[in-house]
Amino acid sequence: MALIVQKYGGTSVGSVERIQAVAQRVYKTVKAGNSIVVVVSAMGKTTDGLVKLATEISPNPNRREMDMLLSTGEQVTIALLSMALQELGQPAISMTGAQVGIVTEAEHSRARILHIETTRLNRYINEGKVVVVAGFQGTSSAGEMEITTLGRGGSDTSAVAIAAALRANFCEIYTDVPGILTTDPRLVAEAQLMDAITCNEMLELASLGAKVLHPRAVEIARNYGVPLVVRSSWTDDPGTWVISPKPQGRSLINLEIARPVDHVEFDTDQAKVALLRVPDKPGVAARLFGEISRQKVDVDLIIQSIHEGNSNDIAFTVTTPILKRAEAVTAAIAPALRSQSNPKFDEAEVMVEHNIAKVSIAGAGMIGRPGVAAKMFATLAAAGVNIQMISTSEVKVSCVVNAAECDRAVTALRTAFEIEAKSKGELLTPNSSLLTPHSSPTPPVRGVALDLNQARLAIRQLPDRPGMAAKLFGLLAQHNISVDMIIQSQRCRVINGVPRRDIAFTVSRLDGENAKKMLTQVAAELGWGEVVLNSAIAKVSIVGAGMVGQPGVAAKMFEALAQQQINIQMIATSEIKISCVVAQEQGVKALQAIHAAFELAGSEKFVVPA
């Protein structure tokens, strides 16, 4: 007999008929000999309706009162589903987040779970009852017993946290699509269903598919080894399994605010190649990396920052043994990338740097925590380590530093993030079992994601010395502004004897104006240049553990964009992800082109229910 946690989203319980259908599914699972805890969202568009009511009363409603209001939506669902189960003869009891014992931070509208008191839950389970729990909510640990909500995707988070606390056999997430698809079926009807995906891949694809799984839920599954499956509410199809690593015996206290960084990784066998002043137009990255892939040169990090005038810089790292080949390819193609209108002006230049190291922090817990990257940069600054390149993903921040400073950087980061040194180096093999879902070969790209909710900020002429990145991202963290992509330009200008570089990063579009206003106020006193905001961007990403060690994946992505005359504004990579910033109006076309280029479409068309 298995203990299973099932979660049903708003569309799955959007009407009396759908609640009754859910009750039938739950009843059938119990009759098969299982114990069930069900976590549900508010019915259909109930939450949207409650938000609308609140904004009709107040344009800026109090967050505490919003939590009080929004928490009522799930209470309707749990009562109705419990009644439906009882009508089938199945003992059931409904419980709010507070009654279950979901204890959270005292942060209204975005609380994280501290721990779950499972005594009452276990008692009802042992009595043979189905426990129907209100997702998305909890109660603060303070004596006031404040009702709190978990923010977007909160019911997913509730379900996986309960599964972790109960040590359930697995957690099922029921939604309106048949599982996790290669992209959003609303944008590509032929998106293909995956039978499995790793937690690492899923975390990198935070906006994959129809946004069926929130990254905070995946983070908990990964940290506690919870087997997770995403299935359709309307069929009995097997769905998609999200593969977690084996649990590490992590404490269930401070469940969602445990250590955000799990590993400090480093690689000293690296060199950097930068191509400066290439034309800022579609096809340049495709041409460069197409030639690199034809010469079988495997690239690690790739970064492209914001343009300066009509030109841009592209930099990448390679392992030392293939540096000469990478340098030769880049030098050979540089003349062909010169400005066609005036070949003598702003010639492309190849810059090679030996004796560098890549230092990274990695961990599922850094998602949505603006202070983690800032802490890394501050730690390196305090150790006197200057950052030459920055590249980020949802679960990793990598910095290129001088090789002579690598040991000092790693020691400082391990101390700051309380990571014990391992006996044999700390570099994780990117194609380890954490990344590979099957024993059989996997395609290099598993899925394509599009994020249309970001804005890009750039600070021109930031002094190039230790501590600048720490100061910048520390300020953003103090204002609770999370940063996604971070790119530091390669071109360095000396102004009044001070070397300076541009730095660009993306934030939520909702935070864009506030971030610009705050940074503009401090730029003058800190000696920074102009702060530039662009809200009309889109981020398109490919993810796949199979891309490790396969030259040509990046080139294929860039070529797909070039064929559609889509200019790449920024590039950032991790071992299993490549992200490009493009113009907002070209975002959907970019996603569709890349999905087609990697032949991810299936023969079946998926229609998402209304």
Side-chain angles (χ1 to χ4, degrees), residues 37 50 184 201 206 247 271 289 342 344 347 363 409 539 549 574 578 608:
V37 174
L50 293 172
D184 189 336
E201 289 171 318
F289 288 99
N342 189 351
K344 294 188 180 300
E347 284 191 358
K539 183 183 81 167
S574 71
I578 302 171
V608 180

Side-chain angles (χ1 to χ4, degrees), residues 304-348:
Q304 177 184 307
S305 189
I306 53 168
H307 65 87
E308 185 171 331
N310 295 319
S311 68
N312 214 322
D313 305 333
I314 300 177
F316 57 92
T317 62
V318 295
T319 57
T320 306
I322 61 172
L323 172 61
K324 288 194 180 301
R325 209 169 356 138
E327 186 179 354
V329 172
T330 310
I333 200 170
L337 297 177
R338 292 173 186 161
S339 170
Q340 299 303 307
S341 58
N342 189 351
K344 294 188 180 300
F345 178 72
D346 258 5
E347 284 191 358

Side-chain angles (χ1 to χ4, degrees), residues 246-510:
K246 289 182 180 177
Q248 301 297 311
R250 186 185 290 253
S251 170
L252 288 162
I253 303 298
N254 292 334
L255 192 146
E256 266 206 286
I257 62 166
R259 192 173 61 205
V261 173
D262 295 321
H263 304 286
V264 175
E265 305 170 10
F266 65 91
D267 185 356
T268 55
D269 190 25
Q270 295 239 326
K272 179 177 73 175
V273 180
L275 194 56
L276 307 183
R277 294 184 293 277
V278 297
D280 183 43
K281 64 181 184 182
V284 170
R287 198 165 176 184
L288 171 61
F289 288 99
E291 188 58 37
I292 284 172
S293 95
R294 279 189 287 276
Q295 299 300 322
K296 306 297 183 191
V297 174
D298 193 20
V299 171
D300 183 6
L301 293 181
I302 303 172
I303 69 161
Q304 177 184 307
S305 189
I306 53 168
H307 65 87
E308 185 171 331
N310 295 319
S311 68
N312 214 322
D313 305 333
I314 300 177
F316 57 92
T317 62
V318 295
T319 57
T320 306
I322 61 172
L323 172 61
K324 288 194 180 301
R325 209 169 356 138
E327 186 179 354
V329 172
T330 310
I333 200 170
L337 297 177
R338 292 173 186 161
S339 170
Q340 299 303 307
S341 58
N342 189 351
K344 294 188 180 300
F345 178 72
D346 258 5
E347 284 191 358
E349 174 192 351
V350 179
M351 183 176 72
V352 177
E353 191 157 347
H354 305 260
N355 302 318
I356 64 163
K358 181 178 74 170
V359 180
S360 307
I361 57 171
M366 64 175 66
I367 293 172
R369 297 182 194 181
V372 178
K375 185 175 180 179
M376 179 187 193
F377 303 149
T379 300
L380 294 177
V385 176
N386 198 36
I387 299 168
Q388 300 179 24
M389 287 171 73
I390 301 170
S391 190
T392 60
S393 75
E394 267 79 1
V395 293
K396 180 176 279 192
V397 182
S398 296
C399 295
V400 169
V401 302
N402 190 300
E405 298 176 332
C406 180
D407 286 348
R408 192 161 78 245
V410 169
T411 300
L413 290 171
R414 283 177 177 154
T415 301
F417 289 104
E418 301 176 6
I419 305 294
E420 291 183 16
K422 295 188 177 179
S423 56
K424 276 276 198 186
E426 193 82 13
L427 181 64
L428 299 182
T429 29
N431 56 353
S432 69
S433 59
L434 284 183
L435 295 174
T436 309
H438 314 288
S439 56
S440 58
T442 59
V445 174
R446 308 296 312 287
V448 186
L450 177 66
D451 189 342
L452 292 167
N453 296 309
Q454 294 207 355
R456 184 187 68 212
L457 281 148
I459 300 179
R460 300 288 189 182
Q461 301 171 10
L462 202 70
D464 184 29
R465 58 172 179 256
M468 283 297 102
K471 173 71 77 174
L472 167 59
F473 295 103
L475 283 167
L476 292 166
Q478 287 170 24
H479 288 78
N480 205 35
I481 296 172
S482 291
V483 176
D484 184 11
M485 295 173 71
I486 304 172
I487 308 290
Q488 184 172 270
S489 71
Q490 291 305 292
R491 206 176 311 185
C492 187
R493 295 186 179 278
V494 178
I495 300 174
N496 298 326
V498 179
R500 296 172 179 271
R501 296 181 193 271
D502 298 341
I503 194 163
F505 53 94
T506 61
V507 298
S508 164
R509 189 170 296 153
L510 294 173

